[in-house]
Amino acid sequence: MARFNYGSVALLTMFIFFFTWAGLGRKTRHVRVTNALEGGSTLTVNCRSEDDDIGIQVLQPQDSFEFHFKPTFIGITRFYCSFQLPDASIHWFDVYNHWRDGRDCSECYWVIRDGGPCMFNWDNQQYDICYKWS
């Protein structure tokens, strides 16, 4: 008869916990990017991840585009975008980074302003989580 092995039980419990936790983190994420540049300017955006290229989007003032995805199993998903502003400058920003957004952001809504992107804050219903262009 086999002996009871506490180490095997602990290891099995850890695997069950990890796979349950990782599976919960894989719910579909929705990202929306809106052109909020001043002066009625057009914004050119190109978003991609390691696996997916969303393609070039040309946004007129107040226009948006959206995409959705499921994060990778191990939680390293990152969607980064280039933003070409009217002065022809190009800035890069992560519109989804699992380490930053994975827990709090299943609907990640962004407005792109002249000074940088601002994320929608679900607590106060404002676009006030802002980042400056680097």
Side-chain angles (χ1 to χ4, degrees):
M1 185 159 161
R3 295 187 326 171
F4 188 74
N5 186 332
Y6 287 103
S8 296
V9 171
L11 187 59
L12 180 61
T13 302
M14 286 177 19
F15 276 123
I16 291 170
F17 174 76
F18 173 76
F19 287 114
T20 302
W21 173 80
L24 292 175
R26 288 186 36 84
K27 65 183 177 179
T28 299
R29 308 292 199 229
H30 299 272
V31 175
R32 180 172 64 202
V33 177
T34 301
N35 176 1
L37 295 176
E38 296 174 9
S41 301
T42 300
L43 176 66
T44 302
V45 184
N46 188 7
C47 297
R48 63 183 63 133
S49 72
E50 186 175 309
D51 301 320
D52 298 301
D53 187 346
I54 304 303
I56 296 173
Q57 310 290 321
V58 179
L59 301 177
Q60 298 303 316
Q62 302 308 313
D63 277 355
S64 300
F65 80 96
E66 299 183 30
F67 62 95
H68 61 275
F69 62 94
K70 284 193 175 193
T72 61
F73 182 70
I74 56 174
I76 58 172
T77 302
R78 178 177 157 244
F79 272 91
Y80 52 96
C81 302
S82 66
F83 298 93
Q84 184 174 356
L85 302 182
D87 65 1
S89 64
I90 297 176
H91 302 279
W92 291 89
F93 185 76
D94 292 352
V95 293
Y96 183 84
N97 181 320
H98 192 74
W99 296 110
R100 179 191 68 207
D101 306 320
R103 206 179 75 197
D104 300 324
C105 180
S106 62
E107 294 183 16
C108 311
Y109 295 166
W110 295 92
V111 294
I112 307 304
R113 297 180 176 146
D114 293 37
C118 294
M119 184 184 223
F120 189 73
N121 184 337
W122 292 98
D123 292 336
N124 65 15
Q125 304 291 297
Q126 300 289 320
Y127 284 96
D128 64 357
I129 304 170
C130 296
Y131 301 86
K132 295 194 180 294
W133 297 125
S134 50

